[in-house]
Amino acid sequence: MELSRADLEIIVALQENSRLTNRELAKRIGAAESTTHERVRRLVRGGVIKRFTAEIDPAALGRPMQAMIAVRLRPQSEDVVERFLSVVMDDSCVLDATVVSGEIDVLLRVAVPSAEHLRTFAWAKVTSAKSVQSITTHLVYEYRRRPITAPA
């Protein structure tokens, strides 16, 4: 799907605030409300916009400590990765999981109430999967996300 400048402006605006009304969005990008509404519908139908969500601060839910857990699995296969993800993704401390290439296979981003909870999750949940060869845990000091924009 080819994206126009107006499409990209819509995408950036909705990433900043997915609760913008169509009227506010149209005003922000300088287009008619009907045009903006149709552009958003087209972006959703085309799979560019996958969903509209709220970003929640884990600290506000009693989970102020975040960490990245790098997991190395053996043997390496799609089935092993899928089984591992089915084990860990049902835990509420897991914010997201990324399957990667290289020395590690999966990066888990977790949010927990304390170092003790992090240790318990890492040892009791992550390493309980038979396919886990090793893990490395990295504390997150700060997390930032920037809007996805068109390539420069």
Side-chain angles (χ1 to χ4, degrees), residues 83-120:
R83 281 197 313 268
F84 172 74
L85 289 175
S86 71
V87 168
V88 297
M89 290 302 291
D90 68 346
D91 195 293
S92 64
C93 77
V94 177
L95 300 175
D96 51 59
T98 306
V99 178
V100 296
S101 65
E103 290 293 313
I104 60 169
D105 300 297
V106 178
L107 273 173
L108 299 173
R109 186 167 63 100
V110 300
V112 293
S114 67
E116 178 64 27
H117 283 86
L118 177 59
R119 184 179 68 159
T120 299

Side-chain angles (χ1 to χ4, degrees), residues 21-37:
T21 66
N22 187 60
R23 174 175 285 161
E24 293 166 330
L25 187 57
K27 183 177 181 182
R28 183 164 171 175
I29 70 164
E33 289 180 41
S34 59
T35 302
T36 303
H37 180 72

